[in-house]
Amino acid sequence: MIYITGDVHGDLDFFRDPRLKKLTEDDTLIICGDFGFLWDGSAKEKKALKQLEKKKYTICFLDGVHENFDMLGAYPPYRYKGGNAHKIASNIFHLMRGEIFTFERKTFFVMGGGESDDAEMRRESGTYFKEEMPSSEELINGARNLKEAGFEVNYVLTYEAPAIAKDFIRMHTNQEMHFSPLNTYLGELMKSVKYNHWYFGSLHMDMPISKKMTVVFNDIIKI
């Protein structure tokens, strides 16, 4: 089975969740951004990754904004499930931007990346990476792959939200929302692509936006 969840931010406790104990080698957990276990290369971090390698199930993740993109970029592209990925470990894969993957005969379009709210503070501390925002080449790659797929996939997985979803959340929660060109790009994607459901994970909440769109954080959703 395939399971979808939100940001984990390098928190090993998340993987001790009882809901994950039933997962087997036939299951895949996909994290919608901010994996966070590739950040400083510390001994503690390497130990945590080793613990994740012991999990029976496969862990896949989209990049969010709190990733070390120098570390991610050091892994060579690896062909995985029909798309380009980075193989972090035998059971851990980074799903690269604009790619389409096939899991259990279901197709998934993936677009990681976004714009962090704490960018200025992180620039001062030296922990900001300009690569957090998708490049024009990555956006073009996504459009090209969707065109080759006939603008139809089973699922869309992103870190950021399409603009219309942020508008919905702003209206229903009174939360202030920051909009970037990526939100607009994803909004245009909604208009041109046929999909069954869209999951994104940047806003740290669990909420259905519509019958076909969900923001996910702590939930573990079986699809």
Side-chain angles (χ1 to χ4, degrees):
M1 298 297 296
I2 302 159
Y3 297 83
I4 306 294
T5 193
D7 303 5
V8 297
H9 289 284
D11 182 7
L12 200 57
D13 284 341
F14 170 82
F15 292 91
R16 300 186 179 102
D17 191 302
R19 293 173 293 178
L20 295 176
K21 290 183 178 180
K22 63 181 180 181
L23 271 61
T24 72
E25 60 273 8
D26 296 323
D27 296 317
T28 300
L29 176 70
I30 305 180
I31 298 162
C32 290
D34 283 348
F35 179 59
F37 286 92
L38 292 164
W39 183 249
D40 59 11
S42 65
K44 180 180 178 181
E45 186 174 89
K46 290 176 181 177
K47 183 178 179 181
L49 279 170
K50 287 292 184 184
Q51 289 183 258
L52 294 184
E53 284 185 63
K54 296 177 182 177
K55 301 297 181 184
K56 294 179 181 179
Y57 51 91
T58 299
I59 300 167
C60 295
F61 67 95
L62 288 60
D63 54 88
V65 296
H66 293 95
E67 320 282 5
N68 186 321
F69 288 95
D70 289 344
M71 292 180 70
L72 277 179
Y75 289 88
Y78 179 85
R79 200 69 180 168
Y80 176 69
K81 302 290 186 179
N84 288 320
H86 291 129
K87 185 177 182 180
I88 310 303
S90 59
N91 66 327
I92 305 173
F93 298 88
H94 167 229
L95 306 181
M96 294 173 69
R97 298 170 180 174
E99 296 293 306
I100 296 176
F101 301 89
T102 301
F103 294 90
E104 299 182 12
R105 293 189 241 181
K106 301 179 181 74
T107 52
F108 294 75
F109 173 77
V110 167
M111 182 59 75
E115 189 173 45
S116 54
D117 295 334
D118 59 350
E120 289 305 318
M121 180 178 66
R122 288 169 56 208
R123 282 190 182 96
E124 293 177 6
S125 64
T127 58
Y128 171 80
F129 298 87
K130 61 181 178 60
E131 292 87 357
E132 70 176 32
M133 277 292 283
S135 66
S136 58
E137 290 81 6
E138 289 168 332
L139 298 179
I140 291 169
N141 177 57
R144 180 173 56 247
N145 286 330
L146 285 168
K147 183 178 180 181
E148 290 177 359
F151 296 101
E152 184 173 354
V153 291
N154 295 118
Y155 295 95
V156 176
L157 304 179
T158 60
Y159 173 70
E160 265 291 0
I164 192 171
K166 282 195 165 182
D167 277 331
F168 175 90
I169 294 169
R170 180 172 58 183
M171 287 188 296
H172 285 77
T173 66
N174 292 319
Q175 289 191 36
E176 184 177 343
M177 289 287 154
H178 174 74
F179 290 80
S180 74
L182 181 57
N183 302 124
T184 303
Y185 169 91
L186 295 175
E188 292 301 312
L189 203 66
M190 282 186 64
K191 301 174 186 178
S192 59
V193 177
K194 183 179 179 181
Y195 58 90
N196 295 336
H197 208 92
W198 184 323
Y199 297 93
F200 64 92
S202 64
L203 297 178
H204 291 186
M205 62 178 68
D206 295 288
M207 178 189 296
I209 305 300
S210 69
K211 291 181 179 180
K212 296 184 66 173
M213 182 171 290
T214 301
V215 52
V216 61
F217 181 37
N218 289 314
D219 281 351
I220 299 172
I221 302 170
K222 182 170 71 172
I223 61 173

